Amino acid sequence: VTNQTSFLQTLKQDVPIALDVLRAIPLLAIDFQIMMDGQGNIYQFDLDRVFLAGAYYREASFDTKFSKAYDHSMEFLGRMAAWVELQLQEQGHDGTDEDDRRDWKAGYDGENNGEAVLKDHLRNSSSLSCQAFDMVNEMSGRKGKGEKTRSAKIMMVQLVQRVMYDNGNGWDDGLKITNDGMWNCTL
């Protein structure tokens, strides 16, 4: 690290982004992996783990494993944010404007924990795209093709569905959803 203040400022900007990515794609918590460069940039890698991790096939207790992994990943990023804030304060550079203050000391509040995220996905498991459902069923894990646990499959189908039908600004209002069987795949 050549410039510690610059490093911390960049890291302070990237931690909330990493938190947002994890909230948007909670399955990344399984085998959570990030790396950081000398400028403080955070990189997520091995993103195929969302669809290929062996835990989806062999874990009878996927729900428990996912909840713990999600909570641990969110806590880790929250602690990282708190550490960055502490370092900046010790240097005398809080790095925030009055209008952009965050309570980094709070870290991960646990309010939207892994169990709540999982329940939310299960609650929204109706009217799924059959095309997304078929795509997820065809995906092979690192240990070959096998039946995925229901919870993992729902989360995967919802993610594929968002990627397929989201125009980048939320759901495409022009998408015509019909009752021709394309949207009647309930897990």
Side-chain angles (χ1 to χ4, degrees), residues 75 78-90 102-109:
E75 276 181 45
R79 285 192 311 268
M80 182 184 282
W83 177 83
V84 168
E85 186 66 24
L86 179 64
Q87 297 302 308
L88 286 168
Q89 287 175 3
E90 287 178 359
R102 291 183 182 234
D103 184 6
W104 291 113
K105 300 289 186 229
Y108 172 53
D109 60 13

Side-chain angles (χ1 to χ4, degrees), residues 123-141:
R123 248 191 323 273
N124 296 316
S125 64
S126 59
S127 299
L128 297 173
S129 161
C130 293
Q131 189 175 9
F133 178 81
D134 290 343
M135 289 176 79
V136 168
N137 277 339
E138 290 301 315
M139 293 177 187
S140 296

Side-chain angles (χ1 to χ4, degrees), residues 33-44:
Q33 299 175 52
I34 59 173
M35 65 181 176
M36 176 178 18
D37 66 18
Q39 284 76 43
N41 296 297
I42 294 177
Y43 303 94
Q44 298 247 0

Side-chain angles (χ1 to χ4, degrees), residues 13-34:
Q13 292 172 0
D14 275 18
V15 170
I17 294 168
L19 283 163
D20 289 344
V21 168
L22 195 54
R23 285 184 194 107
I25 308 171
L27 284 173
L28 287 173
I30 302 291
D31 193 23
F32 184 66
Q33 299 175 52
I34 59 173

Side-chain angles (χ1 to χ4, degrees), residues 118-128 154 158 161:
L118 191 57
K119 284 180 183 178
D120 185 52
H121 276 82
L122 293 174
R123 248 191 323 273
N124 296 316
S125 64
S126 59
S127 299
L128 297 173
I154 288 170
Q158 289 169 342
Q161 185 170 294

